[in-house]
Amino acid sequence: MTKPAMRVAVTGAAGQIGYALLFRIASGEMLGKDQPVILQLLEIPDEKAQKALKGVIMELEDCAFPLLKEVTAHSDPMTAFKDADVALLVGARPRGPGMERKDLLTVNAQIFTAQGKALNAVASRNVKVLVVGNPANTNAYIAMKSAPDLPARNFTAMLRLDHNRALSQLAAKAGCAVGDIEKLIVWGNHSPTMYPDFRFATLAGKPALSVVNDDEWNRNTFIPTVGKRGAAIIDARGLSSAASAANAAIDHVRDWILGSNGKWVTMGVPSDGSYGIPEGIIYGVPVITKNGEYAVVKDLEIDAFSRERMDLTLKELTEERDGVKHLL
Ligand SMILES: NC(=O)C1=CN([C@@H]2O[C@H](COP(=O)(O)OP(=O)(O)OC[C@H]3O[C@@H](n4cnc5c(N)ncnc54)[C@H](O)[C@@H]3O)[C@@H](O)[C@H]2O)C=CC1
Ligand SMILES: O=C([O-])CC(=O)C(=O)O
């Protein structure tokens, strides 16, 4: 029997990431090859953006995706988020060369108060929200706080790109396949203070530390390479990452909804107080997902170096949170 269609709202749908994302959602890569989908696409109420969005919709039509039941264009979040089961909040200004993601906070914060309120008013009561627009963790925090009637745990931020980058770097160092790696974590903020941590990782079942026992590489290459990869992409392309960001968004939502089959994945989620992270801060943690829910992997040992790194990225997140208090 055909499943009822799921409504997926995507903001910034005519942007770079939108263009790399929508076709994959419509082809079933995010929600499953048996899951019909309705796309509700939001762009700013600007003639050029709305025209570009029309063009993207024409291309979606031209793909004749069997799972794509309907596509609608919107300039108002109150209609774009109506009954949405999934909301991908991508629309926001990207950074350019020389900027940090937190420099975007003032320009982008208002977007997430307005969109949080709209989700609160019209989305499905169990809408799953992924914030991609930067600074992603604090924008997710803003949206969550602006939507008091929705479950806070349904607001998440994208750390999956960082997780995938860390997988790739570790696989290259160890000379193994990315698919052989399990139990990798990226703690904290989607910013250069993030802490990619492979202390618990296994490579084809063997402890990663028995293969890559190189503290100098960890401190001076692995951690900074993963943390600064976004800037390296901007430097190389002149634009921020788009296809890899869209791919990470697909991975994040697919695993959240369809399950991670016992594997650890990193999600930015409102803290439940574990690992000394104050409740509510949206922090990258290892989770296992099943039946549309995530469970934080608990009670991992945190050594002195890790505590220092985790506190550093937490400090930045608390500062960002304090900087947007007046909006909430
Ligand atoms: N969390 C992560 O790992 C990553 C986050 N990003 C962030 O994603 C965001 C989008 O990046 P791109 O697609 O490259 O940017 P882009 O500039 O190509 O597209 C953004 C689109 O959002 C639209 N937009 C702006 N305000 C909006 C609003 N209030 N409602 C609906 N649409 C709105 C713009 O008109 C534009 O079409 C940026 O903030 C970027 O920094 C990018 C890569 C990775
Ligand atoms: O670096 C940026 O500004 C875009 C981004 O978040 C990433 O590529 O990780």
Side-chain angles (χ1 to χ4, degrees):
M1 218 178 65
T2 320
K3 292 178 167 178
M6 285 179 77
R7 294 181 178 273
V8 179
V10 181
T11 74
Q16 292 202 88
I17 297 176
Y19 196 69
L21 181 62
L22 299 174
F23 300 85
R24 296 185 61 188
I25 300 174
S27 76
E29 284 185 59
M30 186 172 84
L31 300 176
K33 296 284 181 187
D34 61 346
Q35 178 58 63
V37 114
I38 295 171
L39 285 174
Q40 303 181 168
L41 308 181
L42 180 68
E43 258 298 341
I44 48 173
D46 160 88
E47 204 181 318
K48 213 169 141 207
Q50 288 294 323
K51 191 172 172 203
L53 180 58
K54 292 255 151 52
V56 175
I57 293 177
M58 285 159 70
E59 286 204 71
L60 280 163
E61 288 166 1
D62 294 350
C63 294
F65 289 116
L67 291 172
L68 186 57
K69 296 302 164 199
E70 193 184 345
V71 190
T72 52
H74 303 263
S75 56
D76 179 352
M78 289 292 281
T79 60
F81 295 157
K82 183 89 182 86
D83 299 327
D85 299 298
V86 177
L88 301 177
L89 307 189
V90 178
R93 216 170 95 192
R95 66 172 165 154
M99 293 171 80
E100 282 306 340
R101 297 181 189 97
K102 63 184 166 200
D103 299 337
L104 296 168
L105 199 49
T106 29
V107 281
N108 287 338
Q110 269 95 350
I111 297 176
F112 295 88
T113 46
Q115 293 185 355
K117 284 180 187 161
L119 286 164
N120 196 53
V122 301
S124 153
R125 296 303 82 187
N126 195 30
V127 63
K128 289 184 161 53
V129 182
L130 169 63
V131 176
V132 174
N134 276 321
N137 298 52
T138 299
N139 287 339
Y141 177 82
I142 295 171
M144 172 184 84
K145 288 291 178 194
S146 307
D149 302 332
L150 296 174
R153 61 182 280 107
N154 286 18
F155 285 80
T156 66
M158 195 163 90
L159 269 291
R160 187 58 177 264
L161 180 52
D162 311 301
H163 183 99
N164 289 347
R165 286 167 172 165
L167 282 174
S168 221
Q169 295 297 324
L170 183 60
K173 170 75 176 170
C176 71
V178 280
D180 288 340
I181 304 177
E182 290 198 33
K183 299 190 173 172
L184 187 64
I185 309 166
V186 182
W187 301 99
N189 198 7
H190 175 61
S191 89
T193 64
M194 72 180 77
Y195 171 42
D197 177 4
F198 69 92
R199 291 175 304 134
F200 307 100
T202 56
L203 313 178
K206 275 204 290 197
L209 285 175
S210 71
V211 181
V212 180
N213 194 356
D214 187 344
D215 195 44
E216 198 276 330
W217 176 80
N218 181 39
R219 287 172 192 240
N220 300 324
T221 304
F222 180 62
I223 295 174
T225 302
V226 175
K228 293 181 191 155
R229 187 69 163 184
I233 304 283
I234 294 173
D235 183 47
R237 262 175 35 93
L239 288 168
S240 59
S241 55
S244 55
N247 180 66
I250 300 257
D251 284 351
H252 177 116
V253 176
R254 185 202 56 229
D255 286 351
W256 191 359
I257 290 181
L258 299 176
S260 64
N261 299 317
K263 292 194 174 169
W264 298 11
V265 289
T266 302
M267 286 171 66
V269 304
S271 174
D272 60 3
S274 41
Y275 298 111
I277 311 304
E279 256 179 64
I281 292 267
I282 308 257
Y283 195 92
V285 288
V287 300
I288 295 174
T289 54
K290 199 175 168 186
N291 298 333
E293 298 291 336
Y294 61 82
V296 176
V297 178
K298 295 279 177 70
D299 300 325
L300 296 171
E301 198 193 316
I302 305 301
D303 60 18
F305 175 73
S306 302
R307 186 74 261 165
E308 197 185 303
R309 301 297 308 207
M310 288 168 71
D311 286 348
L312 183 76
T313 190
L314 172 62
K315 180 168 177 283
E316 183 179 47
L317 280 169
T318 8
E319 284 165 7
E320 287 182 21
R321 182 194 59 184
D322 294 346
V324 297
K325 255 194 188 131
H326 62 287
L327 293 169
L328 303 172

